Amino acid sequence: MAEITYRDALNAAMCQEMDRDDSVFLMGEEVAEYDGAYKVSRGMLDRYGDRRVVDSPISELGFTGLCVGAAMTGLRPICEFMTFNFSFLAIDQVINSAAKMMYMTNGQVPVPIVFRGPTGAALQLSAQHSQACETWYVHAPGVKLVTPATPADAKGLLAAAIRDDDPVAVMEGELLYNVRGEVPDEEYVIPLGVADLKRSGDDVSIVTHGKMVHVALQAARTLARDGIEADVLDLRSIRPLDVDAILETVARTNRVVYLEEGWPFAGVGAQIVSLIQDEGFDDLDAPVVRVTQADVPMPYAKNLEQLAKPGVKAVVEACRKVLYLPAGGR
Amino acid sequence: MAEITYRDALNAAMCQEMDRDDSVFLMGEEVAEYDGAYKVSRGMLDRYGDRRVVDSPISELGFTGLCVGAAMTGLRPICEFMTFNFSFLAIDQVINSAAKMMYMTNGQVPVPIVFRGPTGAALQLSAQHSQACETWYVHAPGVKLVTPATPADAKGLLAAAIRDDDPVAVMEGELLYNVRGEVPDEEYVIPLGVADLKRSGDDVSIVTHGKMVHVALQAARTLARDGIEADVLDLRSIRPLDVDAILETVARTNRVVYLEEGWPFAGVGAQIVSLIQDEGFDDLDAPVVRVTQADVPMPYAKNLEQLAKPGVKAVVEACRKVLYLPAGGR
Amino acid sequence: MTQATRETETGVNGDAAAVATKGGPGAGSGLRGFSRDDLHGLLADMLLYRRFEEKAEEAYAIGKIGGFCHLHIGQEGLAAGAIKPLRADDLVITAYREHTQALAKGITPRAAMAELYGRSGGCSGGRGGSMHLFDTSLGFYGGHGIVGGQIPLGAGLAWAIRYRGGDQVCVCFMGDAAVNQGSFLESLNMSAVWQLPVIYVVENNGYGMGTAFSRVSVTDMEARSGAYGIPAHTVDGQDVLETYRFFEELAGQVRAGAGPQFVNALTYRFRGHSMSDPVSGTYRSRAEVERHVEEQDPITILRDRMMDADLLTQEELEAVDAEARAASEDAADFADASPPPDPSTLYDHVYAEINEHGRLFLDGRGKGPAAGAGGPAAPGFGGGDHG
Amino acid sequence: MTQATRETETGVNGDAAAVATKGGPGAGSGLRGFSRDDLHGLLADMLLYRRFEEKAEEAYAIGKIGGFCHLHIGQEGLAAGAIKPLRADDLVITAYREHTQALAKGITPRAAMAELYGRSGGCSGGRGGSMHLFDTSLGFYGGHGIVGGQIPLGAGLAWAIRYRGGDQVCVCFMGDAAVNQGSFLESLNMSAVWQLPVIYVVENNGYGMGTAFSRVSVTDMEARSGAYGIPAHTVDGQDVLETYRFFEELAGQVRAGAGPQFVNALTYRFRGHSMSDPVSGTYRSRAEVERHVEEQDPITILRDRMMDADLLTQEELEAVDAEARAASEDAADFADASPPPDPSTLYDHVYAEINEHGRLFLDGRGKGPAAGAGGPAAPGFGGGDHG
Ligand SMILES: Cc1ncc(C[n+]2csc(CCOP(=O)(O)OP(=O)(O)O)c2C)c(N)n1
Ligand SMILES: Cc1ncc(C[n+]2csc(CCOP(=O)(O)OP(=O)(O)O)c2C)c(N)n1
Ligand SMILES: [Mg+2]
Ligand SMILES: [Mg+2]
């Protein structure tokens, strides 16, 4: 067990799977000679050669479709988007080819592909480069979505995604790449669909995913100073969704905040609220409160960007609200 | 006031606005010489000439971007997607250009464009041609979305959308084009953001939009035979959303079914449930029940397609459920 | 007819660059290189395609087939001529006007017709329909409905061939209108950069729905691939023999490493764009269609040549046609008798894996862990009666 | 310098088709046609661009500028040479490496620098940042961050010109890597079909981030537009005079109805792709960069020529440089003093209209009808302290 970065954990997962299985290859912009725009694939060209680590032209629709086509023959492409912001150009191939192929071929043509790259905002990248893309990838059935928050999860979930026979989107975070954590050296996978209680406390549940897990944990620490103990449930996987884990925390604390980086309208949180009201209605002592990005495109100016992003203070206030405590915790 | 089809009402709206304003033009595949794939633009080439009614190549990304560019100079393009299924190829221009432009230019560059065409399933068009696209257009702030259900609404809402200074998606229904209804002959617009109570009854609220309004009305008639009177609230506009009208019906019946044609995960209905639990929590006597397309790509086979689509029976059962009545209404 | 059973003389020059100017209607129209059996085989193939689609047309008219249905009638020379010379393990991918291409690659009339009927015996289990015929065990990769969507997928099939070190070839068909999709640029460019074993074939029937190619392009089709350094060829798709010879040679070159190729295959659609589009209309005159049916029918062209060369008698023709009709009838009977998909399979095959953890479907069915297969549809969705 | 003030002799042939072979480094490199004032003007322009960006570099290093910041240093000849000959009402649209193009089209150093600083005095109010400079009153249409995204927008600007019957020209810049986006095909094709008044200019600096063009294309840049029948031209972007003459002539032709044009403008980027990318690295050697800085600096090239022709003294050079530095300092001071955007404007300009009905924003703020402007942010969003 070594302490490594989230970036290196992703790298380790790709190498682990490429060592096991020659049908796995990595394609994307700058993934080979440049070692990846965010250096996630550092050293992989040297290790696997340009047959398996491939720089693509800036042709998102094309190389995504090419990877889907390759997957239709049983290869296991890892299709890297420099960021998911650019995958809008490719989304037709994600939805109309990858997501629907198995179904419309009656199971003949699985598409074992991984789409990965950072989602959501980094720092001051402005409107076109700061979008949390989860909703676009989960609304349609046929694609799975995982959102690792820690280095250990990054390695285990990406490895599982690569082995999975379905299209899996793995959404990372540019601001997570340097996060360090203990990661087992040995080969392992974390099954998709298993949420992880990153912290437990009986007073209130903060349910969240991806980068926001860290904000939730910080908020939980802040709340603890006022004697409020929060569950922090990291969904890790949005499709499949660990409904049992969600209902369990709801049943235990009766008060829920959903925290996500993306926009509110038809966001992941809307679905979670809908699920809880459907299956955990009687367990709720207060309406679920959602904390999301402000419903605006991401502004560039530092002060506006800070305002637009969901932060610790907002989470703390939301927790106090579902506890019917006055605003203004520390 | 004449009884005309939904198709002709859309045509009337476009003509009304093109007569008023030379900056309005129509572009899309087959809109001119062919009179539109679904004949919505019948006669418009003759009437306005090929400067203003323009057949495009099959280049969704390109002609959408071209229309957005034209709108950036103050023209008012009506950009027709033969169906919204094909707009996945263009969604980068919808989200990254149209939706964000005003914001990132600090209000300098409004984008007064209309995207229109049919959304959702017709009959046996299979997975790639049967998608309800609402979520993709409302998740990001910056675009408005209207979903007219009747000929009169079609004329008034499309006209309003064309006059609107923001990008507005107008989602129609292939199966609606032949629906007939009374439509005022004179010039009028229906403001965006005003829901319409298509039927009123105090026992249960069926909230819905677009094509599903007709399914809701039929379900309401079925329920009435058992003495159950349903409100049918047609949202008409998803962004802006008539929150007051939703809360009003919730407060009156205390029991709500959300019916939509699309998929459940992060669908419009999820957002409506989230809104109601947030602002109408205490008015609910039962959890809101959602009726949606089955969470599968649309199958071709007639029997499977019928199973996958949300239908009258499902709505009736959902209404009985929120009324805590036993299943099995007529 | 296989490559092995017939003489190898062809009308195509061995040099990929040199073939760029080859072909055009009428070129290489002789029977040379084809045995009597070869010719009878191609005639039988094309007649089967024609009768099969006529049967589909009939079935559509009486509501046995639904949705969109795009007939290939008039373009059969290209299905036979481009696909028959391929090896069984070569790969074919195409758009939604693909019935005859599916037959050419080996999907049985029964499996194809049952798919059109939306029955469980269909080659996509009835879930795909007319636009989504698939049998990957035969190297037939569909049947895609988004114009241009299959082009990068085709590049991906070719990528997979190269990745595995195979010597197959991928043939990727598209309509003339599809070359205006951005996916065309991106796919051709990548194919050139990586020298993929792929032949892009434009079935140039002159129209995308109601739009003549000349209204959406100022250049000729041949100009489109040079931007990526991919050789362009033109072939007369109504001449099945020329087409056959041409593709046999070209596939061999690509197999040997010639890199990606672009073929402008001239053809004509004898029916409307789909079942709802009249045969002639605002965009093309009745006279134009009639002239093509008269002069450019690939079946008539081959038949006449064979008769002229005393390689076909009227009786033989009638026999082979009767066989084609019988096979089409049989296909329709089979389709009719084939049960619709089991309703309990509604949720099958959305995902390949039955997930042990978490829930894959979020529409309230199955409150336990998601069952990927065989679970009954939620009662709430059993009542679909709208439309 | 305007068209009117200088002699009109140019190095560009009057016939659009004929210019397809024109240019290339070294062609038309004389001073002919430029008055002393013209030359001093171009030199001052380019020096301003250089000093402005050096200032931005400094400001980035100390955290005054955030996010992505792509410098144009080394490519200034193209900004001045392609934009300065345009009319004030001509339209320019480009990608994210656009600071100098914005200055060339008339955005003040103050408004540009304040935008980089994210301040309310910025030309996009501080909401856009380095990648999204806009001033449409000056005909500058941004500043776009999605590679290739501006190409169809540029076609749309040209469409609007034609629609209104204007005689302006739209110049649409892109990087060399952007020609591999499908939007390139679609936009060029439509521009050709509709004969739009647009000049597509590839700023061919040889690399898209770390990828040499030759690694993602088997053809030369000039090959890319012929597929759509659009004439291709090559110009040496490091030679501002050649570039100026060339664009002056070409814009005139397009204004007169010559239809869309494609220009391969050869240039070189002296800095890394963005601030986080080292100047040289795995994809290009230090020696390569140094050689270009030495031999291909557009400012040095013009300066030397002017000095050789006794049109510039060392003192004059220093004076004009001092002015450029002063303007850049002033811009930075202005930016520093400009207040950040008012937090209460967070929700402004998402929508153009303040809606009277319904709610536009669904994040729980304002339970009444949505206010499009000026409403305070929801308390829940005031605490953003993550990152
Ligand atoms: C992306 C997309 N846009 C539009 C359509 C609707 N559509 C289906 S076929 C077709 C015409 C295609 O013409 P062509 O490529 O020439 O093929 P053909 O039908 O002639 O075989 C159109 C516009 C579609 N299916 N996909
Ligand atoms: C669609 C898309 N894909 C990827 C990126 C990331 N990216 C930004 S700039 C760039 C390289 C572009 O190179 P080029 O077009 O040559 O322009 P240059 O930077 O050389 O000016 C890339 C890959 C992006 N912004 N948009
Ligand atoms: Mg065609
Ligand atoms: Mg470049």
Side-chain angles (χ1 to χ4, degrees):
Chain A
M1 193 101 127
E3 210 194 73
I4 64 173
T5 61
Y6 184 96
R7 169 186 289 116
D8 291 338
L10 293 166
N11 184 291
M14 291 194 282
C15 291
Q16 170 184 305
E17 298 307 306
M18 287 183 67
D19 286 339
R20 289 179 73 238
D21 184 351
D22 183 66
S23 66
V24 180
F25 68 91
L26 173 66
M27 180 179 283
E29 293 159 13
E30 308 293 346
V31 298
E33 293 201 8
Y34 200 77
D35 275 344
Y38 298 105
K39 308 300 172 198
V40 172
S41 52
R42 194 185 336 241
M44 289 177 64
L45 173 63
D46 284 347
R47 186 155 165 184
Y48 300 103
D50 66 3
R51 171 172 167 268
R52 299 182 68 195
V53 181
V54 186
D55 280 328
S56 77
I58 308 186
S59 303
E60 277 80 4
L61 181 65
F63 73 75
T64 302
L66 185 149
C67 286
V68 173
M72 288 169 71
T73 75
L75 293 183
R76 295 183 173 272
I78 305 171
C79 172
E80 175 173 318
F81 295 123
M82 193 176 287
T83 83
F84 268 94
N85 292 284
F86 312 141
S87 77
F88 285 80
L89 288 163
I91 201 141
D92 175 65
Q93 289 292 345
V94 174
I95 303 296
N96 278 316
S97 296
K100 297 174 181 172
M101 195 64 69
M102 261 278 292
Y103 195 76
M104 70 189 200
T105 61
N106 199 32
Q108 265 184 85
V109 188
V111 181
I113 191 172
V114 167
F115 305 109
R116 49 157 293 273
T119 187
L123 294 173
Q124 287 195 269
L125 299 188
S126 203
Q128 294 183 331
H129 282 72
S130 305
Q131 198 160 305
C133 299
E134 287 90 322
T135 282
W136 277 278
Y137 280 77
V138 290
H139 179 52
V143 179
K144 296 171 177 170
L145 172 62
V146 298
T147 55
T150 66
D153 286 352
K155 182 175 169 192
L157 290 170
L158 176 53
I162 295 169
R163 291 187 198 180
D164 201 281
D165 285 335
D166 288 309
V168 184
V170 180
M171 294 192 180
E172 308 158 3
E174 188 183 329
L175 295 179
L176 290 175
Y177 287 138
N178 286 328
V179 167
R180 304 182 77 84
E182 296 280 313
V183 175
D185 300 318
E186 71 273 13
E187 184 179 317
Y188 68 100
V189 296
I190 298 175
L192 310 189
V194 182
D196 187 41
L197 200 62
K198 288 280 193 290
R199 181 189 195 281
S200 76
D202 287 335
D203 298 324
V204 59
S205 305
I206 309 174
V207 186
T208 187
H209 68 270
K211 197 190 301 174
M212 288 297 114
V213 168
H214 302 277
V215 175
L217 288 170
Q218 213 180 316
R221 284 191 294 271
T222 305
L223 288 163
R225 282 190 251 131
D226 283 331
I228 301 163
E229 292 299 332
D231 259 11
V232 173
L233 183 67
D234 174 7
L235 294 179
R236 294 205 292 202
S237 158
I238 312 295
R239 245 201 219 239
L241 185 68
D242 191 343
V243 176
D244 293 344
I246 296 171
L247 296 178
E248 193 279 324
T249 188
V250 174
R252 200 150 36 72
T253 71
N254 316 117
R255 293 153 196 286
V256 185
V257 168
Y258 196 84
L259 165 64
E260 70 183 313
E261 202 184 351
W263 287 308
F265 201 116
V268 172
Q271 177 60 37
I272 303 296
V273 169
S274 174
L275 175 93
I276 294 173
Q277 83 105 39
D278 205 29
E279 302 187 28
F281 194 63
D282 297 335
D283 285 331
L284 282 184
D285 284 348
V288 180
V289 169
R290 293 165 62 195
V291 180
T292 68
Q293 177 181 331
D295 200 9
V296 303
M298 190 62 81
Y300 167 74
K302 200 183 260 177
N303 67 330
L304 294 184
E305 185 184 42
Q306 288 289 90
L307 272 178
K309 284 177 168 178
V312 172
K313 237 189 216 156
V315 178
V316 168
E317 290 311 324
C319 288
R320 297 183 67 89
K321 186 170 175 201
V322 295
L323 286 158
Y324 299 114
L325 292 171
R330 321 192 191 187
Chain B
M1 190 101 126
E3 207 192 75
I4 64 173
T5 61
Y6 184 94
R7 168 186 289 113
D8 291 338
L10 293 167
N11 184 290
M14 290 194 284
C15 292
Q16 171 183 303
E17 297 308 307
M18 286 183 66
D19 286 341
R20 288 179 73 238
D21 184 352
D22 184 66
S23 65
V24 180
F25 67 92
L26 173 66
M27 179 179 284
E29 294 159 13
E30 308 291 348
V31 298
E33 293 201 7
Y34 199 79
D35 274 342
Y38 299 105
K39 308 298 171 199
V40 172
S41 52
R42 197 188 330 245
M44 288 177 64
L45 172 63
D46 285 349
R47 186 154 164 186
Y48 301 102
D50 65 4
R51 170 173 168 268
R52 300 183 67 194
V53 180
V54 186
D55 281 329
S56 76
I58 308 186
S59 305
E60 277 81 2
L61 180 65
F63 75 73
T64 302
L66 185 150
C67 286
V68 173
M72 287 168 69
T73 75
L75 294 182
R76 295 183 172 271
I78 305 171
C79 173
E80 175 173 316
F81 295 122
M82 193 177 286
T83 83
F84 269 95
N85 292 283
F86 312 141
S87 78
F88 285 81
L89 287 163
I91 202 140
D92 174 66
Q93 288 292 345
V94 174
I95 303 295
N96 277 316
S97 297
K100 299 176 182 172
M101 195 66 68
M102 261 275 293
Y103 196 76
M104 69 189 199
T105 62
N106 200 32
Q108 264 183 84
V109 188
V111 181
I113 191 172
V114 168
F115 305 109
R116 52 157 291 273
T119 187
L123 294 172
Q124 287 195 267
L125 299 187
S126 204
Q128 294 182 332
H129 282 72
S130 304
Q131 198 159 305
C133 300
E134 288 89 322
T135 283
W136 277 277
Y137 279 77
V138 289
H139 179 51
V143 180
K144 295 172 177 171
L145 172 62
V146 298
T147 55
T150 65
D153 286 352
K155 182 174 168 191
L157 290 171
L158 177 53
I162 295 168
R163 291 188 199 181
D164 201 280
D165 285 335
D166 289 309
V168 185
V170 180
M171 294 193 181
E172 307 158 3
E174 188 183 329
L175 295 179
L176 291 175
Y177 287 137
N178 286 328
V179 166
R180 302 183 76 86
E182 297 281 314
V183 174
D185 300 319
E186 69 274 13
E187 184 179 317
Y188 68 100
V189 296
I190 298 174
L192 310 190
V194 182
D196 186 42
L197 200 62
K198 288 280 191 293
R199 180 188 197 281
S200 75
D202 286 335
D203 298 324
V204 59
S205 305
I206 309 175
V207 185
T208 187
H209 68 270
K211 197 190 302 174
M212 288 298 114
V213 167
H214 302 275
V215 175
L217 288 170
Q218 213 180 315
R221 285 192 292 272
T222 305
L223 288 163
R225 285 188 250 131
D226 283 332
I228 301 163
E229 293 300 334
D231 259 11
V232 173
L233 182 68
D234 174 5
L235 294 180
R236 294 205 291 203
S237 156
I238 312 295
R239 253 203 213 235
L241 186 69
D242 191 343
V243 176
D244 293 344
I246 296 170
L247 296 178
E248 192 279 325
T249 187
V250 174
R252 197 149 37 70
T253 71
N254 316 117
R255 294 155 197 283
V256 184
V257 168
Y258 196 85
L259 166 63
E260 69 184 313
E261 201 185 353
W263 288 307
F265 201 117
V268 173
Q271 178 60 39
I272 303 296
V273 170
S274 174
L275 176 91
I276 293 174
Q277 83 106 39
D278 205 29
E279 302 186 29
F281 194 65
D282 297 335
D283 285 330
L284 282 184
D285 284 349
V288 180
V289 169
R290 292 165 61 193
V291 180
T292 68
Q293 176 181 334
D295 199 10
V296 304
M298 190 62 83
Y300 167 74
K302 200 182 262 177
N303 66 330
L304 293 184
E305 185 183 43
Q306 287 291 89
L307 272 178
K309 284 177 170 179
V312 173
K313 237 190 215 153
V315 179
V316 168
E317 290 311 327
C319 289
R320 297 184 66 89
K321 188 172 171 200
V322 295
L323 286 157
Y324 298 113
L325 293 170
R330 319 186 195 195
Chain C
M1 180 170 61
T2 70
Q3 259 181 302
T5 63
R6 69 175 211 74
E7 300 163 46
T8 55
E9 183 196 347
T10 74
V12 181
N13 192 305
D15 173 347
V19 293
T21 54
K22 199 252 147 222
S29 58
L31 301 179
R32 73 181 187 291
F34 291 93
S35 71
R36 190 177 183 290
D37 281 359
D38 293 341
L39 296 168
H40 276 262
L42 285 170
L43 183 69
D45 289 335
M46 291 197 296
L47 273 167
L48 173 63
Y49 308 159
R50 178 71 52 92
R51 300 310 171 211
F52 177 92
E53 288 211 306
E54 287 169 353
K55 189 73 211 170
E57 212 170 6
E58 245 179 77
Y60 194 95
I62 57 174
K64 299 264 187 194
I65 298 175
F68 289 147
C69 183
H70 308 85
L71 301 179
H72 207 232
I73 290 179
Q75 308 185 198
E76 298 94 339
L78 199 42
I83 296 175
K84 285 293 171 187
L86 300 180
R87 278 191 346 209
D89 63 345
D90 286 333
L91 310 182
V92 170
I93 187 166
T94 183
Y96 45 82
R97 192 183 300 285
E98 91 285 32
H99 307 155
T100 71
Q101 296 163 336
L103 297 175
K105 197 69 177 78
I107 293 182
T108 64
R110 286 182 166 197
M113 192 67 86
E115 190 57 39
L116 271 54
Y117 277 54
R119 301 302 173 87
S120 56
C123 56
S124 302
R127 300 164 115 81
S130 163
M131 297 191 285
H132 307 303
L133 306 181
F134 275 84
D135 191 336
T136 55
S137 72
L138 297 166
F140 191 75
Y141 277 82
H144 299 268
I146 303 298
V147 168
Q150 79 281 15
I151 311 178
L153 296 175
L157 299 178
W159 167 273
I161 292 170
R162 206 196 61 148
Y163 188 87
R164 293 196 172 93
D167 71 341
Q168 301 109 285
V169 162
C170 172
V171 174
C172 177
F173 290 98
M174 68 194 80
D176 46 283
V179 305
N180 290 327
Q181 285 285 14
S183 61
F184 179 83
L185 178 164
E186 300 185 8
S187 304
L188 267 73
N189 185 54
M190 290 188 298
S191 303
V193 168
W194 296 320
Q195 287 293 293
L196 303 180
V198 55
I199 303 177
Y200 294 105
V201 183
V202 172
E203 295 203 72
N204 191 347
N205 60 15
Y207 299 94
M209 282 187 74
T211 304
F213 187 65
S214 59
R215 290 211 293 127
V216 287
S217 180
V218 305
T219 51
D220 290 336
M221 188 58 77
E222 293 84 350
R224 292 302 184 101
S225 71
Y228 325 102
I230 296 183
H233 315 265
T234 292
V235 69
D236 178 4
Q238 305 311 89
D239 181 342
V240 68
L241 302 183
E242 174 191 336
T243 303
Y244 188 104
R245 271 194 291 264
F246 176 80
F247 275 93
E248 183 175 48
E249 177 68 24
L250 192 63
Q253 290 172 2
V254 172
R255 210 182 296 294
Q261 307 291 327
F262 180 65
V263 180
N264 174 29
L266 303 173
T267 186
Y268 197 82
R269 146 163 80 64
F270 290 0
R271 293 291 192 278
H273 168 73
S274 66
M275 301 308 294
S276 63
D277 179 48
V279 172
S280 59
T282 47
Y283 65 95
R284 61 180 193 180
S285 67
R286 200 187 167 107
E288 175 187 312
V289 177
E290 281 171 0
R291 182 164 43 78
H292 280 89
V293 171
E294 194 67 38
E295 297 167 13
Q296 292 290 325
D297 187 327
I299 299 177
T300 313
I301 291 173
L302 178 61
R303 181 201 66 190
D304 290 352
R305 264 196 226 151
M306 287 170 69
M307 285 186 165
D308 287 352
D310 283 334
L311 291 167
L312 178 72
T313 65
Q314 186 60 32
E315 297 71 53
E316 284 171 331
L317 176 65
E318 275 160 26
V320 71
D321 195 22
E323 235 176 87
R325 288 179 196 276
S328 303
E329 285 299 330
D330 171 69
D333 292 345
F334 172 83
D336 231 357
S338 176
D342 182 342
S344 77
T345 64
L346 179 65
Y347 287 83
D348 291 6
H349 307 309
V350 180
Y351 292 97
E353 290 191 314
I354 300 176
N355 236 68
E356 287 162 39
H357 312 279
R359 219 183 276 168
L360 275 169
F361 301 104
L362 266 285
D363 52 7
R365 81 188 253 282
K367 306 276 159 155
F381 300 104
D385 50 2
H386 155 260
Chain D
M1 181 169 60
T2 70
Q3 262 181 300
T5 63
R6 68 176 210 74
E7 300 162 45
T8 57
E9 181 196 347
T10 74
V12 182
N13 192 306
D15 174 346
V19 291
T21 54
K22 198 257 147 216
S29 58
L31 301 180
R32 70 181 188 291
F34 291 92
S35 72
R36 192 180 181 285
D37 281 357
D38 293 342
L39 295 170
H40 277 262
L42 285 171
L43 184 68
D45 289 335
M46 290 198 295
L47 273 168
L48 173 63
Y49 308 159
R50 178 71 53 89
R51 300 309 172 211
F52 178 91
E53 287 210 307
E54 286 169 350
K55 190 73 210 168
E57 213 171 6
E58 245 178 79
Y60 194 94
I62 57 172
K64 299 264 185 194
I65 298 175
F68 290 146
C69 182
H70 309 84
L71 300 179
H72 206 232
I73 291 180
Q75 307 186 199
E76 298 94 341
L78 200 41
I83 296 174
K84 285 292 169 186
L86 300 179
R87 278 192 346 210
D89 64 345
D90 287 333
L91 309 182
V92 170
I93 186 167
T94 183
Y96 45 82
R97 192 182 302 286
E98 90 286 31
H99 308 157
T100 70
Q101 295 162 337
L103 297 176
K105 198 69 177 76
I107 293 183
T108 64
R110 287 182 166 199
M113 191 67 85
E115 190 56 39
L116 272 54
Y117 277 55
R119 300 303 173 85
S120 56
C123 56
S124 301
R127 299 163 115 84
S130 162
M131 298 191 285
H132 307 302
L133 305 181
F134 276 81
D135 191 335
T136 56
S137 73
L138 297 166
F140 192 75
Y141 277 81
H144 299 268
I146 302 298
V147 168
Q150 79 280 17
I151 311 178
L153 297 175
L157 299 178
W159 168 273
I161 292 170
R162 207 195 61 147
Y163 189 87
R164 294 197 173 93
D167 71 343
Q168 302 109 287
V169 163
C170 172
V171 174
C172 176
F173 290 97
M174 67 193 81
D176 46 284
V179 304
N180 290 328
Q181 285 286 15
S183 61
F184 179 84
L185 179 164
E186 299 185 8
S187 304
L188 266 74
N189 185 55
M190 290 187 301
S191 303
V193 168
W194 296 319
Q195 287 293 295
L196 303 180
V198 55
I199 304 176
Y200 294 105
V201 184
V202 172
E203 296 201 73
N204 192 347
N205 61 14
Y207 300 93
M209 282 186 77
T211 304
F213 187 65
S214 59
R215 292 211 291 128
V216 287
S217 179
V218 304
T219 52
D220 290 338
M221 187 58 78
E222 293 83 351
R224 291 303 184 99
S225 72
Y228 325 103
I230 296 184
H233 315 263
T234 292
V235 69
D236 178 4
Q238 306 310 90
D239 180 341
V240 70
L241 302 184
E242 174 190 335
T243 303
Y244 187 105
R245 271 193 291 264
F246 176 80
F247 275 93
E248 182 175 52
E249 176 68 24
L250 192 64
Q253 292 173 2
V254 171
R255 209 181 298 291
Q261 306 292 325
F262 179 65
V263 180
N264 174 30
L266 303 173
T267 187
Y268 197 82
R269 143 164 82 63
F270 290 0
R271 293 292 193 277
H273 168 72
S274 66
M275 301 307 294
S276 61
D277 180 47
V279 171
S280 59
T282 47
Y283 65 95
R284 61 179 193 179
S285 67
R286 201 188 165 108
E288 177 186 312
V289 177
E290 281 173 359
R291 182 165 40 80
H292 279 88
V293 171
E294 192 67 34
E295 297 168 13
Q296 293 289 326
D297 187 326
I299 299 177
T300 313
I301 292 173
L302 178 61
R303 181 201 64 189
D304 290 352
R305 266 196 225 148
M306 287 171 68
M307 285 188 167
D308 287 352
D310 284 332
L311 291 167
L312 179 72
T313 65
Q314 186 60 30
E315 297 70 55
E316 283 172 330
L317 175 65
E318 275 160 29
V320 72
D321 195 22
E323 234 175 88
R325 286 178 198 274
S328 304
E329 285 299 329
D330 172 70
D333 291 344
F334 172 83
D336 230 359
S338 175
D342 181 341
S344 76
T345 64
L346 180 65
Y347 287 81
D348 289 5
H349 306 310
V350 180
Y351 292 97
E353 290 191 314
I354 298 175
N355 236 71
E356 287 162 42
H357 312 280
R359 217 182 279 169
L360 276 169
F361 301 103
L362 265 285
D363 53 6
R365 83 188 249 283
K367 306 278 158 156
F381 300 104
D385 51 0
H386 155 260

